């Protein structure tokens, strides 16, 4: 059974930083591209960032380019999202998802809440 457990969210002021983590189990993590997606209050899921299985390729939605950095540690079966220069519009529940930007699985974890507010 695929399990993805997100952590690292919280309340942060605009301009602040957070580092999200996603612990993966139940599948061979190093074989799969992974993504981060988010759901803002009252909105649908939005893909945010993706990384290839071997970390050779990364991609981002335009609204976070230059501010967010995705990475992974295949030895630890863990996906990360470093978020800098956070804005109120980044407020959302963040989920990790198995799969690339064009074909990610619907998240099954609980996600981690990020609130950007002064």
């Amino acid at each position: 059974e695929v399990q993805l457990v997100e952590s690292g969210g919280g309340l942060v002021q605009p301009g602040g930083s957070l580092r999200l983590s996603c612990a993966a189990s139940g599948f061979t993590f190093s074989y799969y591209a992974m993504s981060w997606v988010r759901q803002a209050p009252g909105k649908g899921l939005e893909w945010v960032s993706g990384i290839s299985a071997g970390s050779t390729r990364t991609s981002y939605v335009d609204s976070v380019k230059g501010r967010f950095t995705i990475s992974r540690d295949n030895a630890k079966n863990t996906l990360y999202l470093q978020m800098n220069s956070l804005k109120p519009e980044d407020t959302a529940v963040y989920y990790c998802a198995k799969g690339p930007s064009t074909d990610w699985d619907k998240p099954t974890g609980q996600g981690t809440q990020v609130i950007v507010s002064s």
Side-chain angles (χ1 to χ4, degrees), residues 18-114:
L18 285 172
R19 189 193 194 204
L20 307 184
S21 298
C22 170
S25 61
F27 65 105
T28 307
F29 180 73
S30 61
Y31 285 7
Y32 291 89
M34 295 293 294
S35 292
W36 284 99
V37 301
R38 65 186 179 186
Q39 187 165 26
K43 297 188 177 181
L45 287 169
E46 175 190 32
W47 175 84
V48 174
S49 181
I51 187 168
S52 61
S55 301
T56 54
R57 295 184 302 277
T58 60
S59 54
Y60 302 90
V61 68
D62 284 349
S63 60
V64 308
K65 282 181 181 177
R67 300 189 297 120
F68 290 11
T69 303
I70 190 171
S71 62
R72 64 193 294 165
D73 186 334
N74 286 343
K76 295 182 178 180
N77 290 349
T78 303
L79 180 72
Y80 302 101
L81 187 67
Q82 177 67 44
M83 305 188 298
N84 299 330
S85 302
L86 282 160
K87 303 177 180 180
E89 51 264 44
D90 295 317
T91 294
V93 178
Y94 284 72
Y95 302 89
C96 58
K98 178 170 163 277
S101 61
T102 54
D103 189 24
W104 40 271
D105 294 346
K106 183 178 179 181
T108 57
Q110 293 188 342
T112 187
Q113 175 80 59
V114 172

